[in-house]
Amino acid sequence: MNPLLQAYDAAADRAATLHRPLLLSHTKPDGDAFGSLVAARELLRARGADPLAVSFDPLPRTYSVFARFEPVGVLGREVPLADLDHCDGVIIFDTGAWNQLLPLETWLRASALPRIIVDHHVTRDVPADALIIDESAAATCLILYHWAVHQGWTLSPDAAAAIFIGIATDTGWFAHSNTTPDALDAAARIAALGVAPNDIYQRLYQTDDAARLRLRAAVLSTIELAAQDRLAVLSVDQETFARVGATLADTENLINDPLSIRSVVVSVLLAEQKSGPVRVSFRSKAPLPGLCDLDIDVAAAAADFGGGGHRRAAGARIEGALPEVKRLVTAHLARRIENAEAGRRS
Ligand SMILES: [Mn+2]
């Protein structure tokens, strides 16, 4: 039997024993994280459970598309830590890495509750009793879709819409290199259930306020090119956030803009936080004959700074002042690109 199907069954058996599973995802949650939490809550409720979906951070303004669903409580706000005592299991979506679960790391490490992880990332160090891992899946929501279909669980309209959002956002609206026939097929089937793609698109991408566009203008003006224009580096400091009235969450997707330059193969965005390390995101283009002759693994680059992610999309948190971190990261990526270039020529 296909090991993935075995994993679906084993995780479903585990989940069936849980009356009040705690549903978690990563810090700085994205569309796939919220989508997984909303959809899993719906699916498990329909199985008779009473799941508690919790987010470490409030819904970012860029994801107001989720405001139409029952809210996901924020840990320490709507959901006090004591509420977690009533849970009898933990299901973690879209991450398996301790450094993305920091607000509950101590609690989770001390917990004896059964733990299920559903994820599509390569980087993973959190142990679990049941795992559904599909690194080839475009989104955790896509795994959730296949899991539900395999188990014969019906998708409610909210579950279907949440899954669509997760797939659509993780693939950059079906444009990134993870846009597989499988992702398109699932999206088509979900659309056939009554989820209108244009409704989702408008709610996702046409609801910004002016501050976000001003932030985009400010961040794009910081662009620096290195490594024979193959590397683009953007940065944003706290002064800029304050001036345009935007927050860290508003930087979402800005990192993709420099990839519109023909010569650029890697894009980096550095964001200064109010306190703590600089948040650094990495993106790389897929090789394409005549257009992109390099294949840069940004997950490996991020790992060199203690981060992780996917081959074409990764992130890290790096201690230090913004200009210093920028120099460090620029030099590191430039070296990787030059090494890849040298390897290609030899
Ligand atoms: Mn994801």
Side-chain angles (χ1 to χ4, degrees):
M1 192 181 176
N2 179 334
L4 197 53
L5 301 183
Q6 276 175 6
Y8 290 156
D9 287 337
D13 288 347
R14 276 276 175 180
T17 66
L18 307 177
H19 173 66
R20 187 146 175 88
L22 172 64
L23 311 183
L24 296 176
S25 189
H26 51 83
T27 47
K28 201 187 175 196
D30 57 9
D32 197 25
F34 278 111
S36 298
L37 292 175
V38 169
R41 184 174 60 192
E42 286 281 311
L43 288 166
L44 293 165
R45 262 189 199 152
R47 314 307 304 155
D50 182 24
L52 175 63
V54 170
S55 168
F56 296 136
D57 304 287
L59 190 65
R61 207 163 41 184
T62 42
Y63 284 116
S64 60
V65 62
F66 285 103
R68 60 203 286 229
F69 305 119
E70 178 189 327
V72 172
V74 178
L75 185 69
R77 295 193 188 186
E78 297 86 1
V79 184
L81 191 61
D83 280 14
L84 275 47
D85 292 344
H86 306 294
C87 293
D88 55 4
V90 182
I91 311 181
I92 301 171
F93 298 94
D94 203 33
T95 184
W98 286 121
N99 68 9
Q100 292 200 294
L101 296 162
L102 290 179
L104 271 186
E105 180 181 359
T106 308
W107 187 92
L108 284 166
R109 283 189 190 269
S111 163
L113 296 180
R115 191 185 295 152
I116 302 171
I117 293 179
V118 182
D119 189 24
H120 66 134
H121 293 89
V122 182
T123 316
R124 181 167 47 256
D125 57 7
V126 179
D129 302 288
L131 278 166
I132 303 180
I133 304 298
D134 183 357
E135 289 162 9
S136 73
T140 296
C141 277
L142 183 57
I143 301 177
L144 206 44
Y145 173 78
H146 286 301
W147 188 23
V149 169
H150 177 73
Q151 304 306 140
W153 299 339
T154 317
L155 294 182
S156 68
D158 277 1
I163 286 174
F164 189 97
I165 295 166
I167 299 171
T169 52
D170 259 23
T171 57
W173 201 263
F174 310 102
H176 297 335
S177 61
N178 60 355
T179 307
T180 54
D182 180 29
L184 290 166
D185 181 62
R189 287 171 195 273
I190 293 167
L193 295 176
V195 174
N198 182 254
D199 284 12
I200 305 275
Y201 185 87
Q202 279 193 40
R203 288 173 201 274
L204 265 173
Y205 301 118
Q206 299 182 334
T207 57
D208 280 350
D209 52 27
R212 192 166 135 80
L213 200 69
R214 289 197 184 96
L215 180 73
R216 187 174 183 179
V219 172
L220 288 182
S221 73
T222 71
I223 191 166
E224 289 175 29
L225 297 176
Q228 288 86 47
D229 296 348
R230 289 170 177 264
L231 172 64
V233 181
L234 299 176
S235 60
V236 51
D237 56 18
Q238 281 297 316
E239 189 275 322
T240 304
F241 282 129
R243 181 164 46 81
V244 303
T247 66
L248 186 66
D250 295 313
T251 60
E252 172 99 24
N253 290 326
L254 296 186
I255 187 172
N256 294 312
D257 285 338
L259 298 178
S260 65
I261 302 172
R262 184 184 176 105
S263 63
V264 168
V265 294
V266 175
S267 173
V268 175
L269 171 66
L270 302 105
E272 183 183 47
Q273 304 195 85
K274 279 205 184 73
S275 60
V278 175
R279 278 190 185 272
V280 186
S281 309
F282 306 87
R283 295 288 184 276
S284 67
K285 274 182 190 163
L288 191 64
L291 262 186
C292 179
D293 50 8
L294 295 180
D295 182 0
I296 306 296
D297 179 359
V298 290
D304 289 335
F305 294 102
H310 305 282
R311 190 173 188 84
R312 313 242 163 266
R317 282 180 289 258
I318 306 175
E319 294 289 351
L322 183 64
E324 171 200 334
V325 173
K326 187 202 265 188
R327 266 194 302 277
L328 207 67
V329 171
T330 303
H332 187 91
L333 266 301
R335 207 174 317 123
R336 261 184 190 276
I337 291 168
E338 277 147 21
N339 286 345
E341 176 78 18
R344 192 184 61 86
R345 275 195 308 259
S346 67

